[in-house]
Amino acid sequence: QIVNLADYRPTNFVLERVDLTFDLHPTETKVEARLIFHRREGIDPKAPLVLDGDELALSGLLLDQTELPAAQYDATPESLTVRDLPESTPFELTITTVINPEANTQLMGLYRTGGIYCTQCEAEGFRRITYFPDRPDVLAPYTVNIIADKAANPLLLSNGNFLGGAGYGEGKHFAAWFDPHPKPSYLFALVAGDLGVVEDTFTTLSGREVALKIYVEHGKEPRAVYAMDALKRSMKWDEERFGREYDLDIFMIVAVSDFNMGAMENKGLNVFNDKYVLADPETATDADYANIEAIIAHEYFHNWTGNRITCRDWFQLCLKEGLTVYRDHEFSADQRSRPVKRIAEVRHLKSEQFPEDSGPLAHPVRPTKYREINNFYTTTVYEKGSEVTRMIATLLGRDLFKQGMDLYFDRHDGQAVTIEDFVRCFEDVSGRDLSQFSLWYHQAGTPLVTASGAYDADAKTFTLSLEQMVPATPGQTAKKPMHIPLRMGLLAEDGAVITPASASGAELVDDVLHLTKQTQTATFHGISQRPVLSLNRSFSTPINLQFSQSAGDLALIARYETDHFARWQALIDLGLPNLLQAARDARQGVEITCDPAFTNALLAAAADDSLEPAFRAQVLTLPSESDIARELGGNNDPDAIHAARQTIIKRIAVAGQGVFTALYDGMQTPGRFTPDAASAGRRALRNAALSYLSQSDETPARAKAAYDAANNMTDLSAALTILAQQFPDTAETAAALAHFRDRFADNALVIDKWLAIQAAIPGAGALERIRLLMETPLFKHTNPNRVRALIGTFAFANPTGFGRADGAGYNFLADEILEIDQRNPQLAARILTSMRSWRLLEPVRADHARSALMRIERAGGLSTDVRDIVDRILKE
Ligand code: ARG
Ligand code: ZN
């Protein structure tokens, strides 16, 4: 059934306190929940109390310590209804349930992973532990008592501060925790088991000392040192940039091997997918280090944006996620290179969120209905949600944005609030009416802005005509014009900045031009020479921009823009038409051409030593095959796109041999490995050069030598990727793959790289390779990371292999989805979203994709998760 935002009502009963006791056992854990409630004022004295459950069985129920007669309640696996409760006095319900963590393969609620007990409660996992008002607007302080076998579980952890512990007879012990900060059930966590620890402390701005602990499997402690460093930097940054201090005596992170998502911000006790904690030079790439830094920060930042101030209901998910992603983006930008970080964000947004926003799964950043909330942890809520927050900062400017955030923290601390509450803080500090701007939360679809410019030398004016169009999306046909803040710059022929004397027709504040009407013409006065317009600098607004600029103008921007993001964008805009035309030509069997203006500009940037290496590496990374498919917009043939892109890459490789040789020799990082951004940038540029050099070599020798010489995982996996992608069927590649497997067979996270590299090898043979890899004991169907590495990479990142013309890839995926769904619906549903763009395929493949999807749709016993996705993907 569908949940509607319009149906939101506060609960009938107010929860005052929660007291939980867990008697842990692998298959029979006893949970006793003592809940103190009172009836909310003005609520019908006859109204019953209805609590949520999921696959629960009630084994005891007391009201104020007295057993309740059966006539006074109804218990089903999904709910507990209690009648005839006191009209006005508080009462205590004691609910006992017995659950089986070992059998919990959904990884929601209390489950077991690698011999330890762990929980995941967001969004609706707590109801798999006990009957509860399992919704984010029910906040209470929690006491948690944990009893467990002492030898197997020396560690007993929960939220808040440690109260104490002691022996408990028969080889058991117990520990008690108290979290004074009222919180919703989705932030509850419990971890028990035997783990190693890395410890440190952090002294907050006001001088309080906080104990920091990161728990990992024994023996992996050295690999948690970088995460600890990232945590301390995050804590400091949040104090400096947002004035946010930590608020408990202890902050803990636990790394687990079986986890559906990246990590979870439970109060004082974050639980992480170990992929985002463990790192050392031998096993982690520079990208892994950057992800760890970002995700540690993200979860830590949730302590204020999510935990202290939480969501009234799940429609408000972007209130905490969009804002927290924005905060972690800003953190990484400050820790590393801001323009390079922005390029990576925009790449990610365009390749993941834009397809979502233009396909059958499109939904507003703040949706108004859902069938399965797990399916709304999307790039739209997270990444577009972050972009909307960024636009508020752009609209208001740094100072007012800061004031608005301060007001938000001040006004709403301890509350469960809405997007409207958030936006009102910025309206109140700025006096600006943000109602039109708020359409960004409510209207799905990526706006298309069409721009054209005209220079009038006599009048010394430059006129910019803008038109916006927001495409129709499921459930939303008619759209209103949005408030679109476009950063812009005007450049002279020699690259100098042109500052207009004034602007009319549209508001211009600093470099931000405000487009608010469907069509609008802005005129810039006092322009004494033809300007080159750089539009949507730093991607100030997440739109598709249609603006034809000559290759000369783009090359000028690529060379002179002060905004380096805009330089990168100009090079993409120079290259993209070539890639698109090449794809059309490959489809027609026509010879592929490539404009030398593009190759020259690209190579000039790559060779420009005044630019950061990381930026140059980004320049050398062409749009992906999926990016090209999205830009083509329909009737797509993955083989033609692949052939086209490869041809262009080869042209660049041949034209740039000298540049690439110099980079490969010059960009070494001698000495001990350090994961800092500057060294990572040099490695990225050097490996990009190696990839192009291998293209022109046409032999695997150079990449194999690089593989043999590598002394860190970044270089090792880069060389292995080149071998696998470019020379899949050679002895060199086979040898490197076997060597890599044998060397890292005992490190599952590195084996994920080995699986993913092979899953991405293009061509119709990919499926057979996948099937063989599934047979190796290194692959485990029950582990989400393994499944995502092999099956996820195949479906999301191998368009020619997955999309082979006979439909075998789609059929394979359907079988896998049906099987995974039996165990882990969230994982199955997530991987199924790889089919969201099937309607853009040429008719033969589209037919195969549709039949595979229909086979899923007709299967019996689907989870709500998969049912929701498959229905939406297939809907006309
Ligand atoms: N709140 C977590 C984060 O973004 C993600 C949890 C997602 N859980 C889920 N069941 N979908 O930091
Ligand atoms: Zn989050």
Side-chain angles (χ1 to χ4, degrees), residues 758-773:
Q758 295 177 82
I761 297 176
L767 180 57
E768 203 42 46
R769 207 172 282 118
I770 302 284
R771 288 194 195 282
L772 287 172
L773 286 167

PDB file of all heavy atoms in Angstrom, residues 758-773:
ATOM      1  N   GLN A 758      36.980  -7.610 -13.504  1.00  0.00           N
ATOM      2  CA  GLN A 758      36.615  -8.606 -14.519  1.00  0.00           C
ATOM      3  C   GLN A 758      35.166  -8.427 -14.985  1.00  0.00           C
ATOM      4  O   GLN A 758      34.845  -8.653 -16.149  1.00  0.00           O
ATOM      5  CB  GLN A 758      36.830 -10.008 -13.966  1.00  0.00           C
ATOM      6  CG  GLN A 758      38.312 -10.274 -13.693  1.00  0.00           C
ATOM      7  CD  GLN A 758      38.540 -11.639 -13.074  1.00  0.00           C
ATOM      8  OE1 GLN A 758      38.596 -12.637 -13.780  1.00  0.00           O
ATOM      9  NE2 GLN A 758      38.629 -11.672 -11.756  1.00  0.00           N
ATOM     10  N   ALA A 759      34.297  -8.009 -14.052  1.00  0.00           N
ATOM     11  CA  ALA A 759      32.887  -7.825 -14.419  1.00  0.00           C
ATOM     12  C   ALA A 759      32.719  -6.697 -15.424  1.00  0.00           C
ATOM     13  O   ALA A 759      31.733  -6.659 -16.163  1.00  0.00           O
ATOM     14  CB  ALA A 759      32.050  -7.537 -13.174  1.00  0.00           C
ATOM     15  N   ALA A 760      33.702  -5.779 -15.471  1.00  0.00           N
ATOM     16  CA  ALA A 760      33.574  -4.623 -16.357  1.00  0.00           C
ATOM     17  C   ALA A 760      34.204  -4.850 -17.730  1.00  0.00           C
ATOM     18  O   ALA A 760      34.153  -3.969 -18.590  1.00  0.00           O
ATOM     19  CB  ALA A 760      34.202  -3.401 -15.689  1.00  0.00           C
ATOM     20  N   ILE A 761      34.807  -6.020 -17.954  1.00  0.00           N
ATOM     21  CA  ILE A 761      35.442  -6.266 -19.251  1.00  0.00           C
ATOM     22  C   ILE A 761      34.362  -6.269 -20.338  1.00  0.00           C
ATOM     23  O   ILE A 761      33.399  -7.028 -20.263  1.00  0.00           O
ATOM     24  CB  ILE A 761      36.223  -7.598 -19.251  1.00  0.00           C
ATOM     25  CG1 ILE A 761      37.368  -7.515 -18.230  1.00  0.00           C
ATOM     26  CG2 ILE A 761      36.756  -7.912 -20.650  1.00  0.00           C
ATOM     27  CD1 ILE A 761      38.148  -8.827 -18.077  1.00  0.00           C
ATOM     28  N   PRO A 762      34.509  -5.384 -21.343  1.00  0.00           N
ATOM     29  CA  PRO A 762      33.430  -5.236 -22.323  1.00  0.00           C
ATOM     30  C   PRO A 762      33.273  -6.451 -23.237  1.00  0.00           C
ATOM     31  O   PRO A 762      34.165  -7.300 -23.314  1.00  0.00           O
ATOM     32  CB  PRO A 762      33.858  -4.002 -23.129  1.00  0.00           C
ATOM     33  CG  PRO A 762      35.317  -3.840 -22.897  1.00  0.00           C
ATOM     34  CD  PRO A 762      35.615  -4.433 -21.563  1.00  0.00           C
ATOM     35  N   GLY A 763      32.132  -6.485 -23.882  1.00  0.00           N
ATOM     36  CA  GLY A 763      31.903  -7.489 -24.920  1.00  0.00           C
ATOM     37  C   GLY A 763      30.966  -8.594 -24.484  1.00  0.00           C
ATOM     38  O   GLY A 763      30.726  -8.814 -23.288  1.00  0.00           O
ATOM     39  N   ALA A 764      30.487  -9.323 -25.490  1.00  0.00           N
ATOM     40  CA  ALA A 764      29.456 -10.340 -25.263  1.00  0.00           C
ATOM     41  C   ALA A 764      29.944 -11.481 -24.379  1.00  0.00           C
ATOM     42  O   ALA A 764      29.147 -12.218 -23.815  1.00  0.00           O
ATOM     43  CB  ALA A 764      28.973 -10.885 -26.609  1.00  0.00           C
ATOM     44  N   GLY A 765      31.282 -11.622 -24.251  1.00  0.00           N
ATOM     45  CA  GLY A 765      31.808 -12.716 -23.432  1.00  0.00           C
ATOM     46  C   GLY A 765      31.707 -12.462 -21.930  1.00  0.00           C
ATOM     47  O   GLY A 765      32.006 -13.342 -21.126  1.00  0.00           O
ATOM     48  N   ALA A 766      31.276 -11.261 -21.566  1.00  0.00           N
ATOM     49  CA  ALA A 766      31.280 -10.898 -20.140  1.00  0.00           C
ATOM     50  C   ALA A 766      30.406 -11.828 -19.312  1.00  0.00           C
ATOM     51  O   ALA A 766      30.787 -12.235 -18.213  1.00  0.00           O
ATOM     52  CB  ALA A 766      30.829  -9.452 -19.969  1.00  0.00           C
ATOM     53  N   LEU A 767      29.252 -12.174 -19.842  1.00  0.00           N
ATOM     54  CA  LEU A 767      28.313 -12.974 -19.055  1.00  0.00           C
ATOM     55  C   LEU A 767      28.923 -14.320 -18.646  1.00  0.00           C
ATOM     56  O   LEU A 767      28.792 -14.758 -17.508  1.00  0.00           O
ATOM     57  CB  LEU A 767      27.010 -13.182 -19.840  1.00  0.00           C
ATOM     58  CG  LEU A 767      25.945 -14.009 -19.133  1.00  0.00           C
ATOM     59  CD1 LEU A 767      25.585 -13.413 -17.783  1.00  0.00           C
ATOM     60  CD2 LEU A 767      24.698 -14.138 -20.001  1.00  0.00           C
ATOM     61  N   GLU A 768      29.606 -14.961 -19.615  1.00  0.00           N
ATOM     62  CA  GLU A 768      30.231 -16.251 -19.313  1.00  0.00           C
ATOM     63  C   GLU A 768      31.281 -16.095 -18.204  1.00  0.00           C
ATOM     64  O   GLU A 768      31.397 -16.934 -17.312  1.00  0.00           O
ATOM     65  CB  GLU A 768      30.874 -16.807 -20.594  1.00  0.00           C
ATOM     66  CG  GLU A 768      31.053 -18.305 -20.598  1.00  0.00           C
ATOM     67  CD  GLU A 768      29.854 -19.066 -20.023  1.00  0.00           C
ATOM     68  OE1 GLU A 768      28.695 -18.754 -20.388  1.00  0.00           O
ATOM     69  OE2 GLU A 768      30.086 -19.948 -19.177  1.00  0.00           O
ATOM     70  N   ARG A 769      32.023 -14.992 -18.296  1.00  0.00           N
ATOM     71  CA  ARG A 769      33.033 -14.703 -17.274  1.00  0.00           C
ATOM     72  C   ARG A 769      32.372 -14.545 -15.894  1.00  0.00           C
ATOM     73  O   ARG A 769      32.865 -15.049 -14.889  1.00  0.00           O
ATOM     74  CB  ARG A 769      33.754 -13.407 -17.667  1.00  0.00           C
ATOM     75  CG  ARG A 769      35.164 -13.298 -17.158  1.00  0.00           C
ATOM     76  CD  ARG A 769      35.868 -12.072 -17.745  1.00  0.00           C
ATOM     77  NE  ARG A 769      36.319 -12.246 -19.116  1.00  0.00           N
ATOM     78  CZ  ARG A 769      35.907 -11.536 -20.153  1.00  0.00           C
ATOM     79  NH1 ARG A 769      35.014 -10.560 -19.989  1.00  0.00           N
ATOM     80  NH2 ARG A 769      36.369 -11.769 -21.359  1.00  0.00           N
ATOM     81  N   ILE A 770      31.251 -13.846 -15.870  1.00  0.00           N
ATOM     82  CA  ILE A 770      30.525 -13.646 -14.607  1.00  0.00           C
ATOM     83  C   ILE A 770      30.096 -14.990 -14.028  1.00  0.00           C
ATOM     84  O   ILE A 770      30.265 -15.267 -12.835  1.00  0.00           O
ATOM     85  CB  ILE A 770      29.260 -12.775 -14.831  1.00  0.00           C
ATOM     86  CG1 ILE A 770      29.617 -11.424 -15.423  1.00  0.00           C
ATOM     87  CG2 ILE A 770      28.462 -12.631 -13.523  1.00  0.00           C
ATOM     88  CD1 ILE A 770      30.210 -10.452 -14.475  1.00  0.00           C
ATOM     89  N   ARG A 771      29.541 -15.824 -14.895  1.00  0.00           N
ATOM     90  CA  ARG A 771      29.052 -17.128 -14.416  1.00  0.00           C
ATOM     91  C   ARG A 771      30.195 -17.938 -13.808  1.00  0.00           C
ATOM     92  O   ARG A 771      30.040 -18.572 -12.770  1.00  0.00           O
ATOM     93  CB  ARG A 771      28.409 -17.913 -15.562  1.00  0.00           C
ATOM     94  CG  ARG A 771      27.071 -17.356 -16.012  1.00  0.00           C
ATOM     95  CD  ARG A 771      26.377 -18.397 -16.898  1.00  0.00           C
ATOM     96  NE  ARG A 771      25.280 -17.850 -17.659  1.00  0.00           N
ATOM     97  CZ  ARG A 771      24.066 -17.588 -17.159  1.00  0.00           C
ATOM     98  NH1 ARG A 771      23.825 -17.847 -15.881  1.00  0.00           N
ATOM     99  NH2 ARG A 771      23.119 -17.071 -17.919  1.00  0.00           N
ATOM    100  N   LEU A 772      31.346 -17.902 -14.460  1.00  0.00           N
ATOM    101  CA  LEU A 772      32.501 -18.646 -13.924  1.00  0.00           C
ATOM    102  C   LEU A 772      32.941 -18.062 -12.586  1.00  0.00           C
ATOM    103  O   LEU A 772      33.237 -18.800 -11.652  1.00  0.00           O
ATOM    104  CB  LEU A 772      33.664 -18.611 -14.921  1.00  0.00           C
ATOM    105  CG  LEU A 772      33.477 -19.478 -16.169  1.00  0.00           C
ATOM    106  CD1 LEU A 772      34.599 -19.216 -17.175  1.00  0.00           C
ATOM    107  CD2 LEU A 772      33.437 -20.963 -15.784  1.00  0.00           C
ATOM    108  N   LEU A 773      32.976 -16.734 -12.514  1.00  0.00           N
ATOM    109  CA  LEU A 773      33.409 -16.103 -11.263  1.00  0.00           C
ATOM    110  C   LEU A 773      32.450 -16.414 -10.123  1.00  0.00           C
ATOM    111  O   LEU A 773      32.859 -16.515  -8.967  1.00  0.00           O
ATOM    112  CB  LEU A 773      33.548 -14.590 -11.451  1.00  0.00           C
ATOM    113  CG  LEU A 773      34.774 -14.169 -12.263  1.00  0.00           C
ATOM    114  CD1 LEU A 773      34.679 -12.713 -12.687  1.00  0.00           C
ATOM    115  CD2 LEU A 773      36.059 -14.403 -11.465  1.00  0.00           C
TER     116      LEU A 773
END
